[in-house]
Amino acid sequence: MKLLVLVNHYAPDRGGGGAAYTDLCRGLAQRGIDVTVGCPYPFYPEWRDKSGRNGMRLWRYEEGGVKIVRYGLAIPRDPRALLPRLGFELSLFLSALRLVPEARQADCVMVYCPYFGMVAVGALIRLLYGTPCWLNVQDVMSDAARSTGMVRSPLLSRLMARAERFAFNLYPVWSSISPVMVERLAAMSRGRQEIVLLPNWLDGELRGELEKQEPRTPPATPVRLLYAGNISRKQDLLRLCRFLADSDIDFRFRLFGDGGEAEAVRRWVETAGDARFSFGRFLDAPGLARELRAADFHVVTERSGVGASFFPSKYVGGIAAGTPILAICDRAGPLGREVSRARTGALVEWAELDDLSQILRQAGTDATDWRLWQRNCLLRARHFDRDTLLDDLANRLHRMVSSGTQAATAAAR
C-alpha cells in the first residue's frame, strides 16, 4: 500500500507533534507500507528555518525507511499575530499544492490538522482523485484561535468555523487524540464520517531513553517541578510562574521550551531574580528523559477556556516516565477529564490556584498521594502503547483502502 502523509512537523522537529508523526511514519513503514511524507522545512517550535534550505525548491530524500518531500514556507516573526499567521497559512497552502500530483499514485492520504492550509490541500486531493483520505485532528483550529485571543472578531470567528467544518466534511474518516475531542468532532460532522479515537503515543526514541534512566523516587523538599515543551498562548505558562513566584513554597521549577511565548517566559525568569526558577531551550529526547526522571511533577498547563480544541502530547511522556502530572487546566477539558479519570496526578483549575500551595507542601512531606499517582501513571501509559496503536492504525488503513477500491469498482460497473 502506498500512503501519503501530510504533516506540519517532522524530524528534526520534535515539538508540536513532530516526534509522534515521525515515529508514526517510520512505524508504518516497518509494517510494510510504502510511506511518503509531505512536510515543510523544519522550523518548529523555534519558528525559524533549522535546515538553511527554506525556499521554493522541493527537497526530496529518504530517511528511516520513509520518503520525505519538503517544501518552503513563509515563517512569521511573530506567530501570535493574526495577519502574519494568515500569511503563514497561505504560504503553507500554496507551497503544499505542489504535493497534489504525489497523491495520484497514493492508495491513501493521511492529513494531520493543526493548520488549515494542509486540510485544504488534502480536501483538494479528495475532490480531484477520489483518494481515500483520513483526517487526524490534533487541534480544532477555530476553537483554538478564538480561545487564545488570536481571533477577536465574532464574525471572523464564525467564518473560520464554517470554513473549517466544510473542509473537514470532505474527508470520509476522522480521528482525534482524546475522547473529548472525538465528541467535539461528532458535533461538527454531517453524519457521513467514521470518527476514530487515535491517541498520540510515546515515540520510540523517547521510550528508549526513558528505559536507560532509573525509576523516580518519592519527592522531598524542595519539590521539583518540570515544564518541557511548546510554549504558546494555549499554555498560559507565565500566569502560573507569576503565581508561584508570589508564594513561599519551597520548590524548584525547571522550564524548557520554545514557541511563540517562550521569549516572554525566558525574559521573566531572568528579570524575576527568583532562584527557584530556571529556563532552558527545547530538549532533545535524552535530555527530556533525564529531566522527566528527575522531576517530582510534570507540569502540563492549558489556558482556561480552550474547551476541546487540543490535548497536550507532553502528557504522554510524563506518565510513561512515572512522573505524576500537575495539571493546571479546566476540569471539563480534555486534559482535565483525562487526569481526573485516570488519577495520574493533581488537577488544579486556574480559579483555584491557591490550592496548589497545599498540594506541593504535602508532596514534600507525605508521599502517599504521590505514590498512588505514580502507579496510576505507569498503568495509564499502557493505553498509549506504541505497537498496539500502530498495528491498529495499519489495519484500519488497509481496510479503508480495500473499502474504497470495492466502492470504486462497484461504481464503474
Side-chain angles (χ1 to χ4, degrees):
M1 182 173 69
K2 293 183 178 180
L3 172 67
L4 174 63
V5 184
L6 304 182
V7 294
N8 51 318
H9 311 308
Y10 196 82
D13 288 345
R14 286 190 55 83
Y21 309 156
T22 304
D23 195 62
L24 174 141
C25 293
R26 292 174 180 174
L28 291 176
Q30 291 166 359
R31 284 158 175 76
I33 296 176
D34 184 350
V35 181
T36 298
V37 172
C39 56
Y41 284 86
F43 72 96
Y44 197 84
E46 301 88 349
W47 290 92
R48 61 173 177 80
D49 174 26
K50 293 186 285 193
S51 67
R53 292 173 172 262
N54 189 35
M56 294 299 297
R57 295 182 63 182
L58 293 176
W59 178 21
R60 298 177 183 270
Y61 61 99
E62 190 167 333
E63 184 178 80
V66 176
K67 302 180 186 74
I68 301 163
V69 185
R70 290 195 182 268
Y71 51 87
L73 73 168
I75 303 173
R77 292 184 178 179
D78 184 4
R80 301 167 297 178
L82 178 60
L83 287 179
R85 192 61 176 259
L86 290 176
F88 162 79
E89 287 274 5
L90 180 61
S91 76
L92 188 79
F93 170 71
L94 293 175
S95 191
L97 279 175
R98 292 175 291 170
L99 300 179
V100 171
E102 307 275 342
R104 187 175 296 169
Q105 305 301 321
D107 299 307
C108 180
V109 176
M110 286 193 75
V111 178
Y112 276 71
C113 163
Y115 298 147
F116 185 79
M118 295 177 59
V119 176
V121 170
L124 181 61
I125 290 171
R126 174 70 176 166
L127 290 172
L128 287 175
Y129 305 132
T131 308
C133 290
W134 180 316
L135 177 67
N136 183 283
V137 180
Q138 300 278 316
D139 282 17
V140 179
M141 301 168 292
S142 59
D143 290 355
R146 182 179 61 254
S147 63
T148 58
M150 181 174 291
V151 175
R152 301 182 185 277
S153 164
L155 176 60
L156 182 56
S157 180
R158 288 196 297 271
L159 290 174
M160 286 183 62
R162 289 177 181 176
E164 180 180 57
R165 183 171 181 174
F166 174 78
F168 279 18
N169 276 277
L170 293 174
Y171 288 79
V173 178
W174 297 355
S175 63
S176 197
I177 54 180
S178 80
V180 182
M181 293 182 69
V182 168
E183 293 172 10
R184 175 70 181 93
L185 290 182
M188 299 172 66
S189 171
R190 296 186 181 129
R192 295 192 291 266
Q193 285 77 24
E194 177 186 3
I195 305 179
V196 178
L197 174 63
L198 179 64
N200 289 340
W201 54 82
L202 185 72
D203 67 274
E205 184 181 9
L206 181 54
R207 181 177 65 177
E209 293 296 335
L210 284 173
E211 290 172 352
K212 300 176 185 178
Q213 307 293 324
E214 292 295 324
R216 185 72 193 87
T217 56
T221 304
V223 177
R224 289 165 290 186
L225 309 177
L226 170 69
Y227 181 93
N230 186 39
I231 303 176
S232 67
R233 286 179 176 174
K234 292 190 297 186
Q235 286 78 37
D236 213 359
L237 185 59
L238 196 51
R239 180 180 176 186
L240 174 62
C241 291
R242 286 171 172 154
F243 170 83
L244 289 172
D246 289 337
S247 75
D248 60 356
I249 308 169
D250 192 6
F251 66 86
R252 298 294 181 271
F253 195 2
R254 293 171 62 80
L255 302 107
F256 298 89
D258 280 291
E261 294 290 324
E263 188 59 22
V265 175
R266 184 193 65 79
R267 286 197 305 267
W268 181 88
V269 170
E270 288 183 352
T271 58
D274 191 331
R276 295 175 295 178
F277 294 87
S278 65
F279 185 88
R281 290 302 182 186
F282 201 89
L283 293 165
D284 59 11
L288 179 56
R290 289 193 300 271
E291 293 292 338
L292 282 171
R293 289 294 200 192
D296 298 318
F297 287 98
H298 185 34
V299 177
V300 185
T301 61
E302 282 183 351
R303 186 187 185 99
S304 182
V306 295
S309 60
F310 77 106
F311 181 82
S313 58
K314 61 176 72 69
Y315 169 82
V316 181
I319 63 173
T323 304
I325 303 299
L326 179 57
I328 315 296
C329 62
D330 293 339
R331 194 174 300 274
L335 176 62
R337 284 173 57 173
E338 164 66 20
V339 173
S340 295
R341 187 171 72 87
R343 300 181 68 189
T344 50
L347 169 63
V348 180
E349 294 203 271
W350 288 103
E352 303 168 355
L353 273 181
D354 287 340
D355 296 344
L356 184 56
S357 301
Q358 178 60 29
I359 291 170
L360 295 182
R361 287 192 178 96
Q362 182 175 343
T365 58
D366 181 358
T368 303
D369 287 341
W370 189 91
R371 289 181 185 276
L372 175 64
W373 293 331
Q374 182 186 53
R375 185 189 68 183
N376 290 341
C377 281
L378 296 173
L379 290 172
R380 184 59 176 165
R382 299 174 186 174
H383 175 72
F384 301 91
D385 178 70
R386 173 187 187 269
D387 292 329
T388 300
L389 292 169
L390 269 170
D391 288 343
D392 181 63
L393 174 58
N395 289 333
R396 286 181 180 274
L397 288 170
H398 280 292
R399 289 199 299 270
M400 186 171 77
V401 170
S402 176
S403 298
T405 302
Q406 292 171 7
T409 301
R413 289 173 180 169

